[in-house]
Amino acid sequence: MIKFLLMVNQQGQTRLSRYFEPVELNRRAAQEAAVVRCCLSRNKEQCSFVEYQDFKLVYRQYAALYVVVGVSHTENELSIFELIQNFVEVLDRYFSRVRLNQIMFHLDSVHIILDEMIQNGHIVETNKNRILAPLTAINKMADG
Amino acid sequence: MSDVVEKTLTALPSLLSLDSQPGSAKLSTNSKLGSLIRGITELTSKHEEEKLIQRELSSIKEQVSSPNTTMRQMKELMVRTIYCEMLGYEATFSYIHAIKLAQQGNVLEKRVGYLAVSLFLNESHELLLLLVNTVLKDLQSTNLIEVCMALTVVSQMFPKDMIPAILPLVEEKLNHSKEIIRRKAVLALYKFYLIAPNQVQHIHNRFRKALCDKDPGVMSASLHIYLQLIQENPESYKDLTASFVTILKQVVAGKLPMDFNYHSVPAPWLQIQLLRILSLLGKSDQSTSEVMYEILDESLRRAEMNHNITYAILYECVKCIYTIHPKSELLEKAAKVIGNFVLSQRINLKYLGLKALTYVVHQDPRLALQHQMTIIECLDHPDVIIKRETLELLFRITNDQNVTVIVEKMLDFMSINKEDHTTADLVGKVAELAEKYAPDNEWFVETMNTVFSVGGDTLQPDIPNSFLKLLSEGFDDEEENKKLRLFAVNSYISLLQGEPSKLPQRFLQAICWVLGEYSHLREDVEPDLVLRLLVKLLNIKSTSSETKSWILMAMTKLCSGGAPLSVPLEVSETYSSSMDTMLRQRAQELQYLSQNPELQARVLPRGVSQEPMEVDSSLSFLDGFVSEALAAGAAPYKPPHQRQEELSRSKALSLEPYGLSLPISMSSCSIADRQSPTLLSVSSGLSGDRTDHSHKGGSTTLKLDGVRRVWGKEGYLAQRESAEETAPVEAPSPLQPLVQQGDGDASYSQTPTPIPECEQEKQQLASSLFVGLASQSSVCLMGKSEQTSQRFRRKLKDPAASFPSSTQNPLVSPPSSVGHLLLDSSISSDLISSPEQTHLSSVDLTVANGEVELPDRDMKGIKSTLLREDSALAAGSSPHEELDRPKDSCLTSHLPAELSGLPHSEITPLCTSPSLDLSSCHVQKDDSLVLLVFMKSSSDYDIQQIQVQVTCEELEVSCVCDSPVEELKSHGVVVCQYFLTVKSPSVYFVLSGMMSHQIPDNSLQETQFSHRIPLTSFLRPLRLSTEEYGTMWLAFSHDTKQNLPLMMDAEEPLTATLKVLKDKLQLHVVEIIGNEGIVACCLRQDQPCLLHCRVHAGMLAVWLRSPIPELPDCLLYHCQRALQES
């Protein structure tokens, strides 16, 4: 089960957060800060999986961007690790070479992409064409 | 994937840097979101951020409520609001506008509206109801994109109660020509299944169709549903195993379109999902497992590529192979994979390898032996998560020979770990190991001391409880008990003589209890010394008032030993005026009991342990008090769930009529109470106090029932039993334990430093860690693992050898099989009601007993209307006996042909008019109840235009023919049929009717009547399996508990009683195990009610649960009637 997905920069500022299990709004900021601290404090030689409270964090770094996913103990961490890569590759295709700024300025598009990939904490689609199909169609209609 | 490829991939989004790019600069100046983000990024303090966001939010608030804002601007505003909420600033004002945007926007705006709704609202938010209409509209849209987004939002969140409104539309989409619509429809149904499984029960065959869909996307969407279904009930889906295997075969062989590949691995996440399903299906089922051996072998072979994702698949494969019925060939290959993982230089793989090893080690301890040196290296790994995972592994292989080393490793880890969660978890594990495998008293008490000190106040409350229980209940060997207690006393006295202020409160409480109970065992210590130590503790500022009560209780016990009275008197004087009522109470007790040795001896007898205390859980001795209070005008007790419901109702205007109060008269009911009296023993003397105290901390004593018992006659290891079955156990030679014990101890003492520096030390550590995993040698097991086959779990040792395994205490029974009747231990812990509840419910029941009485007439009514299958025309007494009965029997012949074979109630007169007699009966069909109204003309002329209307608030009444009966011949009979279904349950349904007909002079004559049908006529047996029952039980929220009379004279009271219920009320008895039985029934398919019956103190404790609020109470009433009558 995927509990949440975060995108943060190296300063620990949240760029995108998505929760698949309800967490109260006022608790989120504190939890995100703790989660980010947990990941930022680790070096490249260390494992990409960390224990945090009663769940696990799987994180992956892309230059200045960290993608952190909170999962339950029963989840296959390595498959989530690769899911992050898949997600970034999808973004890369959509924005044709993704930059951190684009993620920030197109918050809505990134969320819509996530909607296609993860629902209720489960991976529902990993085929890049199919993930992007609805969003591209919407954009075409809006433009035309 | 080679490292080179991986580097390229990581470099691919390398432009993801924060540095402003030429393109982004343009972007950010153009949009307001851009400037907001920019503004925030530049800020340095949290305070500034807060100010900026508040300003932003108020500007947004102004704009969204302005009528001039276009939908396009609204979309922009919503994205900004999403950003603000993401930073943790609530923007509740915008929620309604998000819904509006989803309603009114064009495509992109609508999508953002839906997105905002799904981000802002949680599933229980009431605004979500406003979305239902929009979703309905979009589902019917001709624009596929709109249909798509409606389905997307539905599969994320939807109000449970509104599912029926859109279910047909979603179902229809399953046949859509576009795969994306079909896929999203399946995902929406999955969501429905998650939140309301009963609502989609009827479309399970649709899921099968989705599984066979020609599009792989639709098929893989259906797997989510199947994984869930199979988790809940694997037995029902065994027939699909071959299908899943075929699908996996095709995926592995690369038959899917290319775009499903990820780094040239075909649909890896789909493979993982399928492997999970297969492992659930093959678990302890040989024939099903055999179907999948080939594909598992194939998967192992195919996943050769060096890429993370293939490793992820391999890991899942290995888990599956070790979960299903074992096949040695596959196990060997899987073991090799695990070996590769563990030995890998890549740390993520190493982690996964350890995790896999932990998962399989109870099946194959040899594997741990093979990798013992790697494991020891991992124990000193610089990465804390690797260490942690290794400890988890060691925890699984602990036995009574390596326990000291492993526990030491765990305690070492705790001393450097700062994270509360991990500490709490590890402390629990250490305590568990200590209780299970402790080699001697000294070690046990000292380890528990560390557990208490390190665990501090984050300690799970059941740890001190079970520790004290263990001390008090002891073992068969009285001498050994005494030694253990004495050792604990010694240890605690010296701790208190040190610096007790540093000890956590929970530890102090345990210390106080032990000293109070057992310090007399140490004859050389004057009670006065102990008392002074306790007084010292009392005077420490940081001592909590809860701990102070424990101290006072300990003092009370100590005084009986004839100690000088000055100290306790002084103390009790100080605290008898305390603000804390509990402390005051304790002080009073101390004062009184210390001056009254006779009473003291009676209240706190010493040395008579293990006598289970009889507890009157119904608190019947309070009945007098309660009735007095009621007589004085006190409000009768209402159970918490009822209070809560009323509270929530009172918030809104109640539009419903007041429900009828349940007429329950019972002389002997008490609340169902699960707490076993054996949990409380006289010796503790403060059993009541312990319960009290634990209530503050969240009912700890009560929790014990749900918590796994570590002690049992058969030893522990309940969850490892399955491993035992699958592999042969080589019986250890009786001499071995002692020899190995010695070795283990020796090597332990030789390695006082926890971090072995040289290879030799590592080997020594290995031999002490992995001792007992193999039967051959305990010194060095390297390279010999192949010959070893002994399981790490060994038989119980000689009682004298070590105390924990010597327990054969009759009081500590292994978890009773009865408790498992309800499948989930959480249920049994729920079953326990707290003493307050018990007390208060007896109040309630007495009221019912005293005040509410059923009118006599009603009793008769029930008798006559209760349906009996065997005698369709029961000749019981009828409330309308004054009417001539012979009429009825002739009416029987007028029963409609299609209903004549079904059981029907006796025909009772409804009303008579000068020219017409009305009678009625009801007929039970499988899914509904049919009310028949017989109209018999008693006049000599034909009657025109007869119309009979029947209504009932709680029932849905539909007439077969709505048109009036045109003409009734003289002395003829006409029958009208009405289908009745329950809208809201009630004990009796009173139908009111109106009959009108024309009399010859063309004037209209009207007659009113009423007819009563008991709830029992609507009850149908609900045939369930025990598993289904368990799942449903958890899902239902409305419950009622009550004690009912048991048929004591029968040979098997429970079976006999349930049979009466079954026969009279048409309930379905699901299963009877021991003194518990589970029963199910329903009104319609979606109105079930579950009963859990347990024999308790000569009564039948019944616990009812249902999704319908009123149903349990109503059904309970009828159960009681049925049992009283028989």
Side-chain angles (χ1 to χ4, degrees):
Chain A
M1 272 288 280
I2 300 172
K3 289 167 187 277
F4 58 82
L5 183 142
L6 295 180
M7 293 174 106
V8 282
N9 68 9
Q10 236 159 357
Q11 284 76 47
Q13 289 168 313
T14 307
R15 289 309 179 203
L16 180 121
S17 69
R18 186 76 200 242
Y19 288 83
F20 302 101
E21 263 179 12
V23 175
E24 282 162 49
L25 199 63
N26 48 22
R27 280 191 45 232
R28 288 185 188 179
Q31 180 179 318
E32 282 164 22
V35 161
V36 171
R37 256 202 313 280
C38 212
C39 297
L40 289 179
S41 65
R42 297 172 65 81
N43 61 36
K44 287 215 168 118
E45 282 77 52
Q46 286 182 317
C47 194
S48 314
F49 320 130
V50 205
E51 196 157 72
Y52 178 79
Q53 291 190 354
D54 57 341
F55 50 93
K56 290 237 168 79
L57 304 174
V58 179
Y59 67 94
R60 204 158 175 159
Q61 187 186 357
Y62 298 94
L65 173 78
Y66 279 82
V67 184
V68 188
V69 182
V71 296
S72 60
H73 279 284
T74 48
E75 192 54 79
N76 180 335
E77 288 91 349
L78 206 52
S79 79
I80 299 296
F81 187 67
E82 286 306 303
L83 181 77
I84 298 175
Q85 173 70 20
N86 195 37
F87 173 52
V88 173
E89 282 175 25
V90 172
L91 293 180
D92 203 53
R93 183 185 290 189
Y94 178 72
F95 292 110
S96 44
R97 294 222 159 259
V98 65
R99 293 179 202 95
L100 187 52
N101 279 346
Q102 285 168 317
I103 295 175
M104 283 153 57
F105 298 133
H106 296 99
L107 200 64
D108 44 345
S109 304
V110 181
H111 269 299
I112 293 171
I113 289 175
L114 260 186
D115 272 350
E116 295 296 319
M117 293 184 73
I118 306 172
Q119 275 177 4
N120 302 305
H122 298 291
I123 306 168
V124 293
E125 185 61 270
T126 52
N127 180 330
K128 294 191 187 70
N129 293 337
R130 292 187 174 202
I131 292 168
L132 289 176
L135 184 56
T136 346
I138 290 172
N139 285 334
K140 256 192 203 134
M141 274 199 68
D143 290 343
Chain B
M1 183 176 65
S2 73
D3 287 355
V4 183
V5 181
E6 189 169 39
K7 266 179 203 147
T8 1
L9 276 172
T10 337
L12 174 129
S14 65
L15 292 167
L16 281 167
S17 62
L18 194 69
D19 311 330
S20 58
Q21 303 289 330
S24 63
K26 206 176 88 198
L27 244 172
S28 57
T29 44
N30 280 354
S31 76
K32 283 185 184 159
L33 174 70
S35 49
L36 171 65
I37 294 171
R38 186 153 285 231
I40 286 176
T41 318
E42 282 162 8
L43 293 178
T44 45
S45 79
K46 187 81 191 158
H47 181 65
E48 282 176 324
E49 179 190 292
E50 203 176 314
K51 254 173 40 193
L52 183 76
I53 301 269
Q54 291 308 349
R55 218 171 36 235
E56 180 77 17
L57 281 177
S58 50
S59 127
I60 294 176
K61 190 172 185 176
E62 202 174 294
Q63 288 180 63
V64 286
S65 35
S66 144
N68 298 328
T69 312
T70 63
M71 281 296 136
R72 195 188 175 86
Q73 287 165 322
M74 192 68 103
K75 179 210 142 209
E76 214 272 320
L77 288 167
M78 276 306 137
V79 178
R80 266 155 69 196
T81 321
I82 291 176
Y83 188 82
C84 292
E85 278 230 327
M86 187 186 83
L87 294 177
Y89 299 87
E90 209 166 52
T92 10
F93 65 87
S94 64
Y95 297 173
I96 187 75
H97 296 283
I99 291 175
K100 232 165 79 187
L101 186 62
Q103 235 160 43
Q104 298 167 0
N106 74 14
V107 185
L108 182 56
E109 292 147 17
K110 190 185 256 309
R111 183 65 184 87
V112 173
Y114 273 134
L115 172 70
V117 169
S118 69
L119 289 173
F120 292 156
L121 305 184
N122 62 28
E123 277 178 86
S124 49
H125 203 290
E126 48 192 4
L127 278 182
L128 212 53
L129 282 174
L130 296 179
L131 198 70
V132 174
N133 257 331
T134 317
V135 167
L136 259 178
K137 204 184 89 208
D138 285 340
L139 281 177
Q140 288 161 304
S141 162
T142 49
N143 185 341
L144 286 190
I145 297 177
E146 285 181 350
V147 178
C148 228
M149 53 179 90
L151 285 171
T152 307
V153 80
V154 164
S155 51
Q156 283 168 324
M157 49 168 50
F158 199 74
K160 200 157 127 186
D161 306 334
M162 298 308 288
I163 291 175
I166 62 161
L167 188 59
L169 278 173
V170 175
E171 247 187 285
E172 188 183 286
K173 301 286 182 256
L174 289 173
N175 298 325
H176 202 275
S177 59
K178 285 276 184 224
E179 67 82 18
I180 187 163
I181 304 284
R182 294 203 301 276
R183 181 167 65 86
K184 287 191 176 281
V186 172
L187 290 175
L189 289 181
Y190 172 55
K191 181 68 185 179
F192 295 165
Y193 181 77
L194 286 180
I195 54 179
N198 291 336
Q199 307 255 29
V200 288
Q201 236 164 16
H202 61 288
I203 44 176
H204 277 202
N205 57 336
R206 299 293 211 114
F207 300 155
R208 289 202 181 219
K209 222 181 131 208
L211 182 67
C212 305
D213 199 285
K214 59 180 185 294
D215 183 85
V218 183
M219 178 273 295
S220 52
S222 75
L223 292 184
H224 291 290
I225 302 179
Y226 276 107
L227 185 67
Q228 193 76 28
L229 287 171
I230 293 171
Q231 241 162 19
E232 284 158 15
N233 179 15
E235 291 311 313
S236 317
Y237 300 93
K238 298 273 181 187
D239 59 318
L240 285 174
T241 314
S243 314
F244 293 123
V245 167
T246 318
I247 295 170
L248 183 57
K249 251 184 204 155
Q250 291 179 8
V251 176
V252 170
K255 296 273 166 68
L256 295 190
M258 283 297 282
D259 60 354
F260 280 91
N261 287 7
Y262 171 77
H263 296 258
S264 27
V265 179
W269 290 279
L270 176 57
Q271 289 192 42
I272 289 171
Q273 182 90 338
L274 283 164
L275 286 168
R276 282 182 188 157
I277 290 179
L278 288 183
S279 65
L280 287 174
L281 285 169
K283 192 173 183 181
S284 46
D285 180 343
Q286 185 170 359
S287 57
T288 311
S289 298
E290 274 163 5
V291 183
M292 49 187 90
Y293 287 150
E294 191 194 332
I295 183 62
L296 288 174
D297 194 40
E298 175 82 10
S299 295
L300 282 179
R301 213 155 37 78
R302 288 266 182 176
E304 276 166 348
M305 214 177 51
N306 181 15
H307 187 292
N308 273 336
I309 195 67
T310 54
Y311 296 134
I313 298 173
L314 276 178
Y315 170 77
E316 214 63 48
C317 235
V318 166
K319 267 182 82 173
C320 180
I321 289 170
Y322 272 96
T323 312
I324 62 171
H325 187 84
K327 188 188 185 195
S328 57
E329 227 173 281
L330 281 175
L331 287 179
E332 236 166 72
K333 287 185 186 174
K336 227 174 111 195
V337 171
I338 295 179
N340 289 341
F341 279 8
V342 174
L343 294 172
S344 168
Q345 287 308 306
R346 285 157 71 175
I347 189 153
N348 287 351
L349 288 189
K350 200 182 264 294
Y351 168 85
L352 218 57
L354 285 171
K355 198 175 165 186
L357 205 52
T358 312
Y359 183 78
V360 307
V361 79
H362 65 264
Q363 288 206 38
D364 195 356
R366 283 178 306 159
L367 215 50
L369 273 178
Q370 266 175 32
H371 300 295
Q372 48 179 322
M373 288 323 280
T374 322
I375 293 171
I376 284 168
E377 272 163 26
C378 289
L379 212 45
D380 294 316
H381 201 280
D383 193 347
V384 72
I385 183 113
I386 298 282
K387 263 192 199 175
R388 178 81 174 84
E389 204 58 43
T390 315
L391 287 180
E392 200 68 41
L393 172 62
L394 290 180
F395 171 70
R396 298 280 183 107
I397 61 167
T398 310
N399 55 34
D400 47 16
Q401 295 166 61
N402 59 16
V403 63
T404 48
V405 192
I406 287 177
V407 164
E408 190 186 287
K409 289 279 162 202
M410 290 171 117
L411 293 177
D412 280 348
F413 182 85
M414 273 191 272
S415 61
I416 52 162
N417 172 69
K418 295 281 169 291
E419 227 254 315
D420 281 355
H421 241 277
T422 318
T423 307
D425 182 54
L426 279 175
V427 156
K429 284 184 167 142
V430 169
E432 191 183 325
L433 292 179
E435 286 188 13
K436 248 189 323 189
Y437 300 116
D440 54 58
N441 292 342
E442 199 171 324
W443 184 88
F444 178 63
V445 171
E446 270 167 12
T447 306
M448 287 312 285
N449 285 354
T450 324
V451 164
F452 287 131
S453 321
V454 176
D457 293 318
T458 59
L459 204 66
Q460 289 292 321
D462 57 316
I463 296 176
N465 274 351
S466 60
F467 173 69
L468 296 184
K469 193 162 167 252
L470 202 130
L471 277 182
S472 67
E473 288 176 351
F475 326 111
D476 279 354
D477 186 348
E478 228 4 271
E479 198 51 40
E480 197 66 29
N481 288 343
K482 205 177 153 191
K483 273 190 201 160
L484 172 64
R485 290 168 188 162
L486 193 59
F487 192 86
V489 169
N490 284 341
S491 161
Y492 295 158
I493 286 180
S494 57
L495 269 176
L496 288 191
Q497 280 166 339
E499 273 196 76
S501 58
K502 286 183 182 155
L503 299 176
Q505 300 299 313
R506 276 193 210 281
F507 190 16
L508 288 177
Q509 291 161 10
I511 290 178
C512 291
W513 188 84
V514 171
L515 289 182
E517 286 288 327
Y518 301 118
S519 66
H520 64 88
L521 290 173
R522 225 183 113 169
E523 278 141 14
D524 54 328
V525 171
E526 287 292 311
D528 194 39
L529 172 80
V530 182
L531 278 176
R532 282 187 198 290
L533 283 174
L534 291 177
V535 171
K536 187 174 134 197
L537 206 55
L538 263 184
N539 294 334
I540 295 174
K541 274 213 180 84
S542 56
T543 309
S544 72
S545 62
E546 196 183 326
T547 310
K548 282 181 182 164
S549 330
W550 286 74
I551 298 173
L552 291 183
M553 287 186 287
M555 286 182 160
T556 316
K557 287 180 223 163
L558 283 168
C559 286
S560 64
L565 292 176
S566 61
V567 181
L569 276 183
E570 207 174 289
V571 168
S572 61
E573 208 140 290
T574 322
Y575 285 97
S576 53
S577 56
S578 163
M579 292 297 280
D580 189 309
T581 47
M582 184 64 96
L583 266 179
R584 214 154 61 214
Q585 163 83 10
R586 298 288 160 249
Q588 295 287 346
E589 281 171 16
L590 173 60
Q591 193 169 21
Y592 198 71
L593 289 178
S594 63
Q595 289 168 341
N596 196 340
E598 241 171 69
L599 184 62
Q600 162 97 0
R602 254 180 65 209
V603 179
L604 301 166
R606 186 176 276 176
V608 257
S609 53
Q610 278 104 40
E611 289 283 323
M613 188 186 255
E614 279 301 323
V615 177
D616 182 0
S617 59
S618 65
L619 301 182
S620 55
F621 53 89
L622 286 173
D623 284 353
F625 174 78
V626 169
S627 40
E628 260 173 49
L630 283 169
Y637 172 75
K638 282 174 190 152
H641 68 268
Q642 198 184 336
R643 257 178 288 160
Q644 215 129 45
E645 227 165 69
E646 279 173 14
L647 210 66
S648 60
R649 261 191 227 141
S650 64
K651 278 183 194 155
L653 276 178
S654 170
L655 299 173
E656 284 168 23
Y658 291 100
L660 79 164
S661 62
L662 260 192
I664 300 170
S665 78
M666 110 209 55
S667 47
S668 50
C669 40
S670 67
I671 201 79
D673 188 343
R674 264 247 153 166
Q675 184 174 356
S676 125
T678 51
L679 271 180
L680 314 162
S681 64
V682 178
S683 90
S684 73
L686 60 146
S687 44
D689 298 323
R690 271 170 71 186
T691 332
D692 279 355
H693 142 70
S694 51
H695 268 278
K696 285 195 206 154
S699 75
T700 43
T701 325
L702 301 174
K703 255 190 215 156
L704 277 175
D705 258 18
V707 168
R708 275 189 302 165
R709 291 269 170 98
V710 231
W711 284 94
K713 278 181 190 163
E714 343 267 280
Y716 180 72
L717 297 169
Q719 81 270 37
R720 295 178 197 173
E721 225 80 85
S722 57
E724 290 284 320
E725 287 159 18
T726 52
V729 183
E730 201 176 283
S733 92
L735 276 174
Q736 230 169 2
L738 288 169
V739 178
Q740 288 181 348
Q741 179 76 46
D743 283 342
D745 282 350
S747 51
Y748 170 47
S749 52
Q750 278 160 20
T751 52
T753 45
I755 304 151
E757 306 246 317
C758 66
E759 211 45 33
Q760 207 182 356
E761 274 181 32
K762 276 189 184 172
Q763 293 213 359
Q764 266 172 1
L765 180 62
S767 63
S768 47
L769 273 179
F770 298 94
V771 66
L773 288 186
S775 60
Q776 303 305 316
S777 154
S778 62
V779 184
C780 180
L781 299 151
M782 309 273 295
K784 290 190 180 173
S785 46
E786 266 71 23
Q787 319 151 12
T788 62
S789 62
Q790 192 208 334
R791 323 301 304 179
F792 61 93
R793 182 199 156 182
R794 293 163 51 257
K795 296 251 168 76
L796 285 175
K797 288 200 292 182
D798 173 24
S802 94
F803 81 83
S805 42
S806 68
T807 47
Q808 297 284 339
N809 193 325
L811 279 175
V812 191
S813 58
S816 80
S817 60
V818 178
H820 292 292
L821 192 56
L822 288 171
L823 295 172
D824 191 319
S825 59
S826 67
I827 302 173
S828 37
S829 61
D830 283 348
L831 267 166
I832 303 159
S833 56
S834 67
E836 293 108 283
Q837 258 182 333
T838 324
H839 159 67
L840 290 165
S841 11
S842 68
V843 180
D844 169 38
L845 302 170
T846 333
V847 182
N849 187 14
E851 291 183 3
V852 197
E853 262 301 13
L854 254 190
D856 225 2
R857 197 174 54 81
D858 285 3
M859 296 273 292
K860 282 185 193 162
I862 305 156
K863 272 189 189 149
S864 61
T865 42
L866 255 179
L867 275 179
R868 293 205 179 79
E869 277 180 75
D870 47 354
S871 58
L873 273 168
S877 60
S878 153
H880 305 275
E881 262 166 328
E882 67 276 13
L883 293 156
D884 46 349
R885 296 189 45 99
K887 268 184 196 170
D888 296 345
S889 49
C890 67
L891 285 172
T892 326
S893 58
H894 291 281
L895 274 171
E898 72 270 20
L899 299 176
S900 58
L902 298 164
H904 65 91
S905 66
E906 65 184 291
I907 298 169
T908 50
L910 281 178
C911 65
T912 42
S913 77
S915 48
L916 207 56
D917 286 340
L918 249 61
S919 351
S920 78
C921 74
H922 43 266
V923 180
Q924 282 191 4
K925 290 176 73 170
D926 276 342
D927 50 351
S928 63
L929 194 73
V930 184
L931 177 76
L932 297 178
V933 177
F934 300 89
M935 287 167 254
K936 186 168 187 290
S937 161
S938 54
S939 69
D940 295 323
Y941 42 83
D942 299 348
I943 306 169
Q944 314 276 319
Q945 294 288 329
I946 312 170
Q947 195 157 10
V948 181
Q949 283 181 328
V950 181
T951 53
C952 175
E953 248 166 5
E954 293 94 8
L955 292 175
E956 223 170 81
V957 185
S958 57
C959 186
V960 178
C961 52
D962 258 336
S963 54
V965 179
E966 291 291 342
E967 194 175 68
L968 178 60
K969 290 265 188 297
S970 153
H971 296 288
V973 175
V974 181
V975 184
C976 269
Q977 291 185 38
Y978 298 87
F979 284 100
L980 308 177
T981 42
V982 178
K983 276 196 291 194
S984 76
S986 144
V987 176
Y988 292 102
F989 300 98
V990 181
L991 296 154
S992 48
M994 161 84 84
M995 185 256 298
S996 61
H997 62 86
Q998 269 177 6
I999 45 175
D1001 63 1
N1002 267 352
S1003 69
L1004 207 61
Q1005 189 168 354
E1006 288 187 344
T1007 319
Q1008 290 187 336
F1009 62 87
S1010 73
H1011 179 63
R1012 207 168 63 146
I1013 304 176
L1015 178 77
T1016 43
S1017 304
F1018 292 90
L1019 286 178
R1020 301 289 180 272
L1022 179 62
R1023 293 179 209 291
L1024 289 174
S1025 71
T1026 310
E1027 284 79 6
E1028 286 164 335
Y1029 181 96
T1031 0
M1032 287 172 82
W1033 180 267
L1034 287 177
F1036 297 162
S1037 49
H1038 300 282
D1039 61 356
T1040 302
K1041 297 176 202 174
Q1042 188 107 46
N1043 279 7
L1044 297 178
L1046 201 60
M1047 330 266 329
M1048 284 314 275
D1049 39 359
E1051 209 163 53
E1052 280 177 293
L1054 179 66
T1055 321
T1057 314
L1058 291 187
K1059 188 171 184 309
V1060 170
L1061 291 178
K1062 179 182 168 233
D1063 293 344
K1064 290 200 172 175
L1065 304 178
Q1066 299 208 51
L1067 310 180
H1068 172 61
V1069 180
V1070 181
E1071 198 172 353
I1072 300 178
I1073 302 177
N1075 61 356
E1076 291 185 86
I1078 52 179
V1079 181
C1081 67
C1082 61
L1083 294 180
R1084 281 199 317 256
Q1085 203 56 38
D1086 57 346
Q1087 297 175 326
C1089 186
L1090 306 179
L1091 292 86
H1092 173 243
C1093 309
R1094 197 169 60 89
V1095 179
H1096 176 75
M1099 300 289 285
L1100 185 71
V1102 185
W1103 189 7
L1104 299 97
R1105 272 196 180 188
S1106 168
I1108 319 286
E1110 305 88 337
L1111 188 51
D1113 284 338
C1114 301
L1115 182 59
L1116 189 63
Y1117 170 82
H1118 285 290
C1119 288
Q1120 188 159 19
R1121 283 280 159 227
L1123 291 176
Q1124 276 175 358
E1125 269 175 21
S1126 57

